[in-house]
Amino acid sequence: MLDRIDINCDMGESFGAYKLGRDQELMNYISSANIACGWHAGDPTVMDQTVRLAKENGVAVGAHPGYPDLMGFGRRRMDLTLSEIENYILYQIGALHAFAKAYGLPLQHVKAHGALGNLAFVNLEVSKAIARAALRFSKELILVVYSGTIMVQAAKETAIPFVEEVYADRVYNPDGTLQSRKVVGSVIDDPDKAARQALTIIREGYVTAHDGSKVKVKPETLCVHGDTPGAVAILQRIRGELKKASISVKPMGQ
Amino acid sequence: MLDRIDINCDMGESFGAYKLGRDQELMNYISSANIACGWHAGDPTVMDQTVRLAKENGVAVGAHPGYPDLMGFGRRRMDLTLSEIENYILYQIGALHAFAKAYGLPLQHVKAHGALGNLAFVNLEVSKAIARAALRFSKELILVVYSGTIMVQAAKETAIPFVEEVYADRVYNPDGTLQSRKVVGSVIDDPDKAARQALTIIREGYVTAHDGSKVKVKPETLCVHGDTPGAVAILQRIRGELKKASISVKPMGQ
Amino acid sequence: MLDRIDINCDMGESFGAYKLGRDQELMNYISSANIACGWHAGDPTVMDQTVRLAKENGVAVGAHPGYPDLMGFGRRRMDLTLSEIENYILYQIGALHAFAKAYGLPLQHVKAHGALGNLAFVNLEVSKAIARAALRFSKELILVVYSGTIMVQAAKETAIPFVEEVYADRVYNPDGTLQSRKVVGSVIDDPDKAARQALTIIREGYVTAHDGSKVKVKPETLCVHGDTPGAVAILQRIRGELKKASISVKPMGQ
Amino acid sequence: MLDRIDINCDMGESFGAYKLGRDQELMNYISSANIACGWHAGDPTVMDQTVRLAKENGVAVGAHPGYPDLMGFGRRRMDLTLSEIENYILYQIGALHAFAKAYGLPLQHVKAHGALGNLAFVNLEVSKAIARAALRFSKELILVVYSGTIMVQAAKETAIPFVEEVYADRVYNPDGTLQSRKVVGSVIDDPDKAARQALTIIREGYVTAHDGSKVKVKPETLCVHGDTPGAVAILQRIRGELKKASISVKPMGQ
């Protein structure tokens, strides 16, 4: 049984006049922020504000790079070459790093966003291209990999530091993948249920799939989606339960 | 009389399928490359290639940030707030730094591009916002300032390391500003004339304005525009003359 | 005293995952929609939905072109040439017209957005470039001009059909210009006050400036900002008062 | 045997400071121009100039819409929904139509660009979404379909006017598809060979595939790529041979 866990959440997804997410509120409950880098979401002003907000809340910062597709919020797959993926991610890591540096924070981690992240789950070469981008920047950046996927193999093969991620607010398939968002109910918005799933994952090392089967997971960081209805309530419940169980919440990099 | 000078040139201005500039050729003659950062020109693939090319040629690399206006190539002024300017430049510095870091090169300098640079020549607050962006990233980044302008004051007031820049291939006004590109003949494309201007600047410390008057300049880096017709010939002549005069060409940061 | 008026409102300002404005609600109260064209706001999916929504509500549609600056929401002036302004607006008119045509609606009007509109208020040549863009598309497009500004002259000189616009929810200066948004209280969010201003304008032909002086205006269309707090309440009050006064609300082009 | 043919070529692919293609030269030899619409290439200034150039040369104009991916020149597939494809193409058709209208030209045709076009060759639903976009704009727009592909079926099912297209400068596979550009020699840059292929297609109704087999084709418009080395020479030879054979070159819509 674990005595500590990281909680990560996507942050900084506003753009210009467009506001998205409740970053200020959510920062109270998380330990690591995945910050958009201006391609699928975010802009330099938003990045500056988000990094400052993270610092004020003692939250560690990471880059959340995505496809160059603001109109699609990075949720539409693009047929990029591996070299393009590598360079696009390196660019975004650098951009976010500048703001972290300006605030005296280290850049802790990298987590691929949206359709690029989903592709990485199932495509070893894409996963390795993402890892290479991070490694080219620094040998110390932590790659967030979705637990149980090919990304773990990619991380091992490229010898990049990594942590495995599990989801508090998503229904799992028996094979450990996430049930598609298209299936009604695949996003868990009941705080009790999400908190229960989180606790079972952390304390028991498994998650119960939609057919009742138990899927082994190795949680190092727990993802809660900021845009899930009731995200704040979910996070409050999770934090409360973790406290009762004497499990501390700390950034993955500490 | 100086025994050394830096020669800088804008580089990496291609974008996707669009090729611009003769970077490969010009890299042979310069000591510092101002590399576009993906906003007014450049993309991550181009940045990667340009930084690699610079490294292969022993050329130091700097960021050449500009307005978020690819359609206008950063040559159209935008009414940004000082905070926006600061954050936009910090973003671009970070993006380019990632590629420099990937190739094991330090990021040597920052030079504002196009209409943003022109605005900085005459606007102290804008100049200082640019300096602040660089300082937020690192106390060691060198700011390239146009010799004799308000940028020098901005650099001093913000205590940023800086070098003063002069132009080999542009006609000067008696007050030390550049004659507008709209005036026919304001861009010097005769290699002899440009080389002569460069040598007079370096050896004598002045440039002859279009009315024959002498303008004092304090050259630390010499800019040659890669898109000037005959840029290569100009650079070859300048390098030849500098060699004869035993003036070495070295990156501003060395 | 008028027996009819048009009410226009900016619409279709969402972009991809970013939602902005309460278009569905506001469509009930207006007669003309100024629809963003994908440059400073809006995307083709949003344009399609907004035009359909307008049609369902019997609201006439117009193009609301702006600067190519999504990050700044078109609110930052850009130094474009007159030819660029003309072509950029022609492009946006065409893009929106395609959706109007697809739904069997005529394109009724053109109104410049944000910083481009503000520039047109004070710059005759810019106003005329906007008018020329509309005229190149069709001799029947109505140009919305801000009442009492140089835009009226531009419209007359270019012989474009036009209507004069007044604001229900903004405080006026004695010279007929709008008090800057930077002045606290310059946006009227009290429904009673806004409705009173609208009625005085329509029935009396003047607006009371912030110093108490009366500014003559010639209202043909009344603008209410959809993003003003209380926009719906303001529109409800205005519609109620207009009904009492037997003033009908009809699209400017009818 | 045909006594007439259309020759189409991609045009207007420059963007801002980036120049691409030899439009001025090529306009002399073609009858229909596929003009980029500002998404994967082109901008309003370029569109304006290209439509004017087409008019001066008696060349008919069509829209050449592509993916929203300037960085990839529209050559990278994006996973768009059918509704997105439809709206994105409708938008681009409208934008180009505005310039055609400004010059008093009808919009003759629509041809999908790059990766979107390639996808349409093999995906019936995508082909139909493209056809629907054109039909929503006008029942008279001609859809250019690649001869022998599923696009023909899509055009028939949606009852859109269409013409079948063949390539003078590409090597064919025995099944009528084009040999991948990745295969060396798949682009024919020998003017004699390209002209011979064009003439055989037009006069004999077949093209010889790379294995020597004959593929039946039904040519109504012949595509020559402006970016093929020797495009002008190829077009000159084709025009010369067509003249000898008394085959006239006319826009598809006449």
Side-chain angles (χ1 to χ4, degrees):
Chain A
M1 190 186 132
L2 296 168
D3 63 351
R4 56 171 289 178
I5 190 81
D6 176 47
I7 301 179
N8 78 74
C9 193
D10 299 347
M11 292 275 144
E13 295 185 329
S14 294
F15 181 85
Y18 298 107
K19 303 305 169 202
L20 202 73
R22 291 178 297 169
D23 293 11
Q24 187 122 24
E25 220 175 334
L26 294 166
M27 280 287 187
N28 292 306
Y29 304 102
I30 66 173
S31 41
S32 294
N34 318 312
I35 302 178
C37 306
W39 279 43
H40 70 275
D43 69 38
T45 301
V46 171
M47 290 161 76
D48 181 65
Q49 292 166 345
T50 308
V51 171
R52 187 172 56 223
L53 192 62
K55 184 176 186 178
E56 288 166 2
N57 284 272
V59 169
V61 297
H64 197 40
Y67 283 124
D69 178 24
L70 187 67
M71 206 185 288
F73 203 65
R75 288 186 176 150
R76 307 185 295 202
R77 185 169 150 191
M78 295 179 70
D79 276 357
L80 306 182
T81 65
L82 297 175
S83 160
E84 286 169 338
I85 289 173
E86 193 179 315
N87 285 323
Y88 290 7
I89 289 182
L90 180 55
Y91 180 101
Q92 295 179 65
I93 287 172
L96 187 64
H97 169 257
F99 292 92
K101 198 164 186 305
Y103 284 102
L105 296 180
L107 189 65
Q108 175 191 250
H109 68 283
V110 177
K111 176 179 169 180
H113 166 86
L116 180 58
N118 293 343
L119 180 59
F121 290 173
V122 297
N123 186 313
L124 182 64
E125 291 311 315
V126 166
S127 283
K128 288 167 78 171
I130 295 169
R132 277 197 306 274
L135 284 166
R136 286 181 71 190
F137 187 74
S138 161
K139 302 284 175 261
E140 288 164 32
L141 270 181
I142 299 170
L143 184 68
V144 175
V145 304
Y146 175 44
S147 188
T149 66
I150 210 162
M151 286 193 83
V152 178
Q153 182 187 343
K156 288 178 180 168
E157 289 187 13
T158 55
I160 190 170
F162 69 97
V163 299
E164 295 195 33
E165 177 181 49
V166 290
Y167 289 81
D169 55 4
R170 291 291 300 276
V171 172
Y172 275 71
N173 292 318
D175 66 355
T177 60
L178 298 179
Q179 194 175 54
S180 167
R181 276 175 184 266
K182 292 172 189 166
V183 178
V184 177
S186 68
V187 174
I188 304 171
D189 52 10
D190 172 14
D192 284 343
K193 208 171 159 188
R196 203 156 49 235
Q197 176 158 313
L199 267 286
T200 310
I201 286 170
I202 296 165
R203 301 173 66 175
E204 317 285 341
Y206 72 86
V207 60
T208 306
H210 60 74
D211 69 346
S213 64
K214 295 181 178 182
V215 177
K216 272 198 180 175
V217 285
K218 188 193 157 200
E220 290 165 292
T221 182
L222 188 71
C223 181
V224 174
H225 291 91
D227 56 353
T228 302
V232 171
I234 289 174
L235 280 164
Q236 285 175 326
R237 279 300 308 273
I238 290 176
R239 293 297 298 245
E241 294 297 322
L242 289 173
K243 197 169 181 185
K244 280 191 225 163
S246 298
I247 298 166
S248 62
V249 175
K250 286 184 186 157
M252 62 183 85
Q254 280 175 17
Chain B
M1 189 185 131
L2 297 167
D3 64 352
R4 58 172 287 177
I5 190 83
D6 177 47
I7 300 179
N8 78 73
C9 194
D10 299 349
M11 293 274 143
E13 295 185 328
S14 294
F15 181 83
Y18 298 108
K19 303 305 168 200
L20 202 73
R22 291 178 296 169
D23 293 10
Q24 187 122 23
E25 220 175 334
L26 294 166
M27 280 286 186
N28 291 306
Y29 304 102
I30 66 172
S31 41
S32 293
N34 318 311
I35 301 178
C37 307
W39 279 42
H40 69 275
D43 69 38
T45 301
V46 171
M47 290 161 76
D48 182 65
Q49 291 166 345
T50 308
V51 171
R52 187 173 56 224
L53 191 62
K55 184 176 185 178
E56 289 166 2
N57 285 273
V59 169
V61 297
H64 196 40
Y67 283 124
D69 178 24
L70 187 67
M71 206 185 288
F73 202 65
R75 289 187 176 147
R76 307 185 295 202
R77 186 169 150 189
M78 295 179 71
D79 276 356
L80 306 182
T81 65
L82 295 175
S83 160
E84 286 169 338
I85 290 172
E86 193 178 315
N87 286 323
Y88 291 7
I89 288 182
L90 181 56
Y91 181 100
Q92 295 180 65
I93 287 173
L96 187 64
H97 169 257
F99 292 92
K101 198 164 185 303
Y103 284 102
L105 297 179
L107 188 65
Q108 176 190 250
H109 68 282
V110 176
K111 175 179 168 180
H113 167 86
L116 181 57
N118 293 343
L119 180 60
F121 292 173
V122 297
N123 187 312
L124 182 64
E125 291 311 315
V126 167
S127 282
K128 287 166 80 170
I130 295 170
R132 277 198 305 275
L135 284 166
R136 286 181 70 191
F137 187 75
S138 160
K139 302 286 176 260
E140 288 164 32
L141 268 181
I142 300 170
L143 184 67
V144 175
V145 303
Y146 175 44
S147 188
T149 67
I150 210 162
M151 287 192 83
V152 179
Q153 182 187 343
K156 288 177 180 167
E157 289 187 13
T158 54
I160 190 170
F162 68 98
V163 298
E164 295 196 32
E165 177 181 50
V166 289
Y167 289 81
D169 55 5
R170 290 291 300 276
V171 171
Y172 276 71
N173 292 318
D175 66 355
T177 59
L178 297 179
Q179 194 175 54
S180 167
R181 275 175 184 267
K182 291 172 189 166
V183 177
V184 176
S186 68
V187 174
I188 303 172
D189 53 10
D190 172 14
D192 285 342
K193 208 170 159 188
R196 205 157 47 234
Q197 176 159 313
L199 267 286
T200 309
I201 286 170
I202 296 165
R203 300 173 68 174
E204 318 285 342
Y206 72 84
V207 60
T208 306
H210 59 74
D211 69 346
S213 63
K214 294 181 178 181
V215 178
K216 271 198 181 176
V217 286
K218 187 192 156 201
E220 290 164 294
T221 183
L222 187 72
C223 182
V224 173
H225 291 91
D227 56 352
T228 302
V232 171
I234 288 174
L235 280 164
Q236 284 175 326
R237 278 302 307 272
I238 290 175
R239 293 297 298 244
E241 294 297 322
L242 290 173
K243 198 171 181 184
K244 279 191 224 162
S246 297
I247 299 167
S248 63
V249 176
K250 286 183 185 160
M252 61 182 86
Q254 280 176 15
Chain C
M1 186 186 134
L2 297 168
D3 64 351
R4 59 169 286 179
I5 190 82
D6 177 47
I7 301 178
N8 78 73
C9 194
D10 300 347
M11 292 274 145
E13 295 185 328
S14 293
F15 180 84
Y18 297 107
K19 304 305 169 201
L20 202 72
R22 290 177 297 168
D23 292 11
Q24 187 122 22
E25 220 176 334
L26 294 167
M27 280 285 187
N28 292 306
Y29 304 102
I30 65 172
S31 41
S32 293
N34 317 312
I35 302 177
C37 306
W39 279 42
H40 69 276
D43 69 38
T45 301
V46 171
M47 291 161 75
D48 182 66
Q49 291 165 345
T50 309
V51 171
R52 186 172 58 223
L53 191 63
K55 184 176 185 178
E56 288 166 3
N57 285 273
V59 169
V61 297
H64 197 40
Y67 283 124
D69 179 24
L70 187 67
M71 206 185 288
F73 203 65
R75 286 184 177 150
R76 308 185 295 202
R77 184 168 150 192
M78 295 179 69
D79 276 357
L80 306 182
T81 65
L82 296 175
S83 160
E84 286 169 338
I85 290 173
E86 193 179 316
N87 286 323
Y88 290 6
I89 289 183
L90 180 55
Y91 180 101
Q92 294 179 65
I93 288 172
L96 187 65
H97 169 257
F99 292 92
K101 198 165 186 301
Y103 284 103
L105 296 179
L107 188 66
Q108 176 191 249
H109 68 283
V110 177
K111 176 178 167 179
H113 166 86
L116 181 57
N118 293 344
L119 180 59
F121 291 174
V122 297
N123 186 313
L124 182 63
E125 291 311 315
V126 166
S127 283
K128 288 166 79 169
I130 295 170
R132 278 198 307 275
L135 285 166
R136 286 181 71 189
F137 187 76
S138 160
K139 303 284 176 260
E140 287 163 34
L141 270 181
I142 298 169
L143 184 67
V144 176
V145 302
Y146 175 43
S147 190
T149 66
I150 211 162
M151 286 193 84
V152 178
Q153 181 187 342
K156 288 177 180 168
E157 289 187 13
T158 54
I160 190 170
F162 68 98
V163 299
E164 294 194 33
E165 177 181 48
V166 289
Y167 289 80
D169 55 5
R170 290 292 299 276
V171 171
Y172 276 72
N173 293 318
D175 66 356
T177 58
L178 298 179
Q179 194 175 54
S180 167
R181 275 176 185 266
K182 291 172 190 166
V183 178
V184 176
S186 68
V187 174
I188 305 171
D189 53 9
D190 172 13
D192 285 343
K193 206 170 161 190
R196 202 155 52 235
Q197 176 160 311
L199 268 287
T200 311
I201 286 169
I202 296 165
R203 299 174 68 175
E204 317 284 344
Y206 72 84
V207 62
T208 305
H210 59 74
D211 68 346
S213 64
K214 294 182 178 183
V215 178
K216 272 198 181 174
V217 286
K218 188 192 156 202
E220 290 164 294
T221 184
L222 188 71
C223 182
V224 174
H225 291 91
D227 56 352
T228 302
V232 171
I234 288 173
L235 280 164
Q236 285 174 327
R237 279 299 309 271
I238 290 175
R239 293 297 298 244
E241 294 298 322
L242 290 173
K243 199 172 180 184
K244 282 191 222 160
S246 298
I247 297 167
S248 63
V249 175
K250 286 182 185 161
M252 62 183 85
Q254 279 177 19
Chain D
M1 188 185 132
L2 297 167
D3 64 351
R4 59 170 286 179
I5 190 81
D6 177 46
I7 301 179
N8 78 73
C9 194
D10 299 348
M11 293 273 144
E13 295 184 329
S14 294
F15 180 84
Y18 298 107
K19 304 306 169 199
L20 202 72
R22 291 177 297 169
D23 292 11
Q24 188 122 21
E25 220 176 334
L26 294 167
M27 279 286 187
N28 291 306
Y29 304 102
I30 65 172
S31 41
S32 293
N34 317 311
I35 301 178
C37 305
W39 279 40
H40 69 275
D43 68 39
T45 301
V46 171
M47 290 161 75
D48 182 66
Q49 291 166 346
T50 309
V51 171
R52 186 171 59 223
L53 191 62
K55 184 176 185 178
E56 288 167 4
N57 285 272
V59 169
V61 297
H64 196 41
Y67 283 123
D69 178 23
L70 186 67
M71 206 186 287
F73 203 65
R75 286 185 177 148
R76 308 185 294 203
R77 185 167 150 192
M78 295 180 70
D79 277 356
L80 306 181
T81 66
L82 295 175
S83 161
E84 286 169 338
I85 290 173
E86 193 178 315
N87 285 324
Y88 291 6
I89 289 182
L90 180 56
Y91 181 101
Q92 295 180 64
I93 288 172
L96 187 65
H97 169 257
F99 292 92
K101 198 166 185 302
Y103 284 103
L105 296 179
L107 189 65
Q108 176 191 251
H109 67 283
V110 177
K111 175 178 167 179
H113 166 86
L116 181 57
N118 293 344
L119 180 59
F121 291 174
V122 297
N123 186 312
L124 182 63
E125 290 312 314
V126 167
S127 282
K128 287 167 79 170
I130 296 170
R132 278 198 305 276
L135 285 165
R136 287 181 70 190
F137 187 75
S138 160
K139 302 283 176 262
E140 287 164 33
L141 269 181
I142 299 169
L143 184 67
V144 176
V145 303
Y146 175 44
S147 189
T149 66
I150 211 162
M151 287 194 83
V152 178
Q153 182 186 343
K156 287 177 180 168
E157 289 186 14
T158 54
I160 191 170
F162 68 99
V163 299
E164 295 195 32
E165 177 180 48
V166 289
Y167 288 80
D169 55 6
R170 290 292 299 276
V171 171
Y172 276 72
N173 292 319
D175 66 356
T177 58
L178 297 179
Q179 194 176 54
S180 166
R181 276 175 184 266
K182 291 172 190 167
V183 178
V184 176
S186 67
V187 174
I188 304 172
D189 53 10
D190 171 15
D192 285 343
K193 207 169 160 190
R196 203 157 51 235
Q197 176 159 313
L199 266 288
T200 310
I201 286 169
I202 296 164
R203 300 173 67 175
E204 317 285 342
Y206 73 84
V207 61
T208 306
H210 60 73
D211 68 345
S213 64
K214 294 180 178 184
V215 178
K216 271 199 181 175
V217 286
K218 186 191 157 202
E220 290 165 293
T221 183
L222 188 72
C223 182
V224 174
H225 291 91
D227 56 353
T228 302
V232 171
I234 289 174
L235 279 164
Q236 284 175 327
R237 279 299 309 272
I238 291 176
R239 292 297 298 244
E241 294 298 321
L242 290 173
K243 198 170 181 186
K244 281 192 221 161
S246 298
I247 297 167
S248 62
V249 176
K250 286 182 185 160
M252 62 183 84
Q254 280 177 18

